[in-house]
Amino acid sequence: MRPRLRGTGLLLRFALRRDRVLLGAWLLVLTATVAASAAATGPLYASTAERVAAAEAINASPAVVALYGPILDTSSLGELSMTKMTVLYAVFVAFLSVVVVRRHTRVEEETGRAEVVGATAVGADAPTAAAVLEAVLASVLLGVLVAAVDVAAGLPVGGSVLFAASWTGIGLVGAGVGLLAAQVSSSARTVGFLASAVIGVLYLLRAVGDLTAGWLSWLTPFGWGTQLSAWSAPRVWLLALYPLLAVVLAAAAVALRRRRDLGAGIVPDRPGPAVGSPRLRDGLALVWRQQGTALVGWTVGAAVLGGLMGSIVPSIGDMLDTEATRGVIEAMGGAGALQDALVFALASIGAVVITCFGIATVTRAAGDEHDGRTETVLATATSRSALLLALASAALVGTTWLLLVSGVATAVGRGDGLSAVGAALAQAPAVWVVLGAALLLLSLRSRWAVAGWAVLVLCVTLGQVGAALELPGWVLGLSPFHHVPKYPTESFAWQPEAGLTLVALLAVAAAWWRYRSRDIG
């Protein structure tokens, strides 16, 4: 092995061990989502004519095309089943690789662990190679799993393999984007923002191309997934573009890596002002200053996705207008009731996603404590109580703000009243309960804060498969989202909302009480 790559295998095994929970959960959720979509779409349509009608309804909606991409072969069951997966869920595949590469490159440099590892007999490029190899292995494994569940669900073997290969390809591109972004700045947070911005631009470019200038779709990897036409008359040669682009990005990243110091970025850090702003006079201002950039990004994302999702609501009746579903829609009370049910479903999904912002806020505080920054803040006039309450305000108020933005955007997109705003805000108490649990875990021990993600995954799992598994009602009730009133499908109920709010307040109070007395660090 070349000296610069010495120790790559050892670092790769170590990285896989560290990420066994992260990768396992991510792969499980993505694979289960594909399996559910593949298995559920076919029974919805009794004939090819119904599938064609549904596909044409999707293509006729600019909002749906912007979000999911067009359906090139309207008679293909595979393409209809994987409509959401081809473009929208491919974004999560790209982010998986970005998270893995960023964690084992820039985060390691920022924390100083890369310098410690570099002082051993490990080659200079070994950490980078191990991070990229882990992302490649995760992408390949995801592709194998996705192909298997698609075939098991009855979709054509050839299309399943090609579709899965496109997901593997987008994972490779995500690794390249993450690796290149990691060379730009010395801040792991900035690197995450840059990689997210690049993925967002590529996705937006695809959306514009699918709606107007078709040639733009060929310029972005997210457009290649649609143009591949995996399920009929495939353009197999397009699959070669993914690894080609990934290699170019990785080569550029390695070249930049060798032109900068360890721990530094290509763009040098700017010195801060000599005198701190009076707006940063206490812990509350500091916490909100730290979360400001992320909150702005989440606000833009919530507004855009809320608007797109809301614009889909009026056309949902046309998409599901089949013999099999017509009776169900009529039993629900007609197309209006179906739209209300979709508004509730969108609000539920949005609440789960927005909860991630709050948990990320809590886990970031845990990272600050682990790295010694919390101790520095507490050495000033800021008390522990004030710091924890500032953190709670950023998590709880920030998520409530995002729910409001998402609800307003959905209402604007739907263009039929403000029921979407109520549906979004009705999710707030359940979100607060999950965040209260995360704060309580942080107050017990900083390293336990990451278990807040496990709480969210448990809630989502109970909501998605609990009823199908016929779990007892008390088990389903462990998820706070189970108690949220199904507004606007049903009338609004204050009792469960008040109960959830009380539970959240008790959790925050317990976290505040515990955080005042435990050791920091």
Side-chain angles (χ1 to χ4, degrees):
M1 178 177 289
R2 296 166 57 185
R4 297 187 69 88
L5 295 175
R6 185 187 301 118
T8 299
L10 180 63
L11 292 178
L12 175 61
R13 290 197 296 274
F14 180 56
L16 289 172
R17 178 174 174 75
R18 285 181 62 193
D19 293 343
R20 61 190 185 281
V21 176
L22 171 71
L23 290 179
W26 211 308
L27 295 180
L28 176 64
V29 170
L30 288 173
T31 305
T33 304
V34 171
S37 182
T41 303
L44 284 176
Y45 308 99
S47 64
T48 302
E50 291 185 351
R51 289 204 304 267
V52 171
E56 290 176 345
I58 291 174
N59 286 340
S61 171
V64 179
V65 172
L67 195 61
Y68 302 145
I71 295 179
L72 302 183
D73 182 2
T74 55
S75 63
S76 169
L77 173 61
E79 191 163 354
L80 183 61
S81 301
M82 295 295 109
T83 299
K84 296 179 183 178
M85 312 296 132
T86 303
V87 176
L88 181 60
Y89 283 73
V91 173
F92 300 111
V93 178
F95 273 121
L96 168 61
S97 295
V98 169
V99 168
V100 167
V101 171
R102 171 181 169 272
R103 184 180 191 192
H104 294 289
T105 55
R106 178 51 64 185
V107 172
E108 292 296 284
E109 291 190 38
E110 190 177 63
T111 59
R113 289 190 290 265
E115 190 170 8
V116 175
V117 172
T120 67
V122 170
D125 291 335
T128 300
V132 172
L133 282 176
E134 183 185 358
V136 171
L137 289 176
S139 301
V140 172
L141 178 58
L142 178 62
V144 172
L145 293 174
V146 165
V149 297
D150 267 354
V151 173
L155 297 182
V157 175
S160 300
V161 172
L162 292 176
F163 166 75
S166 72
W167 265 31
T168 298
I170 207 70
L172 300 181
V173 173
V177 169
L179 189 61
L180 187 58
Q183 315 309 315
V184 177
S185 172
S186 63
S187 167
R189 192 169 306 152
T190 302
V191 167
F193 176 79
L194 288 173
S196 301
V198 170
I199 291 175
V201 169
L202 292 175
Y203 188 87
L204 183 63
L205 197 66
R206 191 279 315 162
V208 174
D210 286 343
L211 289 174
T212 55
W215 60 272
L216 287 175
S217 299
W218 292 87
L219 300 181
T220 163
F222 294 108
W224 300 343
T226 302
Q227 300 302 331
L228 173 63
S229 190
W231 305 96
S232 56
R235 302 181 177 100
V236 181
W237 60 270
L238 268 174
L239 291 175
L241 296 183
Y242 294 107
L244 181 61
L245 177 59
V247 168
V248 171
L249 291 172
V254 170
L256 292 177
R257 167 69 182 83
R258 295 176 178 176
R259 286 170 171 75
R260 66 175 177 83
D261 293 332
L262 185 66
I266 291 298
V267 178
D269 296 334
R270 292 184 305 171
V275 179
S277 170
R279 292 176 298 175
L280 298 176
R281 61 185 178 278
D282 54 27
L284 180 65
L286 176 62
V287 170
W288 277 96
R289 176 68 177 82
Q290 288 179 319
Q291 299 300 326
T293 304
L295 186 59
V296 169
W298 275 80
T299 299
V300 173
V304 172
L305 285 179
L308 286 173
M309 291 293 184
S311 61
I312 293 173
V313 173
S315 57
I316 187 63
D318 296 332
M319 295 180 195
L320 297 179
D321 186 19
T322 69
E323 290 294 337
T325 60
R326 200 166 295 143
V328 177
I329 294 174
E330 292 175 356
M332 292 176 62
L338 179 63
Q339 292 181 17
D340 288 342
L342 180 59
V343 167
F344 170 74
L346 293 176
S348 301
I349 297 171
V352 171
V353 175
I354 288 171
T355 304
C356 295
F357 168 80
I359 295 179
T361 301
V362 176
T363 54
R364 177 179 179 180
D368 287 343
E369 181 177 340
H370 182 261
D371 295 337
R373 290 187 287 271
T374 300
E375 199 168 3
T376 303
V377 173
L378 293 176
T380 66
T382 301
S383 67
R384 294 189 182 197
S385 297
L387 187 59
L388 183 75
L389 292 178
L391 176 61
S393 72
L396 301 181
V397 177
T399 51
T400 306
W401 161 254
L402 293 174
L403 288 171
L404 175 62
V405 170
S406 176
V408 170
T410 304
V412 171
R414 184 185 183 185
D416 185 18
L418 298 176
S419 59
V421 179
L425 292 180
Q427 303 285 337
V431 173
W432 297 339
V433 170
V434 176
L435 298 181
L439 286 167
L440 188 57
L441 289 165
L442 171 68
S443 70
L444 294 173
R445 194 173 181 179
S446 62
R447 293 185 182 277
W448 290 4
V450 71
W453 293 108
V455 174
L456 180 60
V457 170
L458 175 64
C459 294
V460 174
T461 303
L462 288 175
Q464 292 295 320
V465 302
L469 296 177
E470 299 181 351
L471 296 176
W474 68 269
V475 176
L476 299 178
L478 293 176
S479 169
F481 296 102
H482 179 73
H483 304 282
V484 175
K486 294 180 174 56
Y487 181 83
T489 305
E490 301 174 358
S491 58
F492 190 83
W494 288 102
Q495 292 84 353
E497 296 286 270
L500 290 170
T501 303
L502 179 60
V503 172
L505 288 175
L506 291 175
V508 173
W512 168 78
W513 177 80
R514 175 58 183 156
Y515 192 75
R516 292 185 310 159
S517 58
R518 77 162 171 83
D519 292 335
I520 298 296

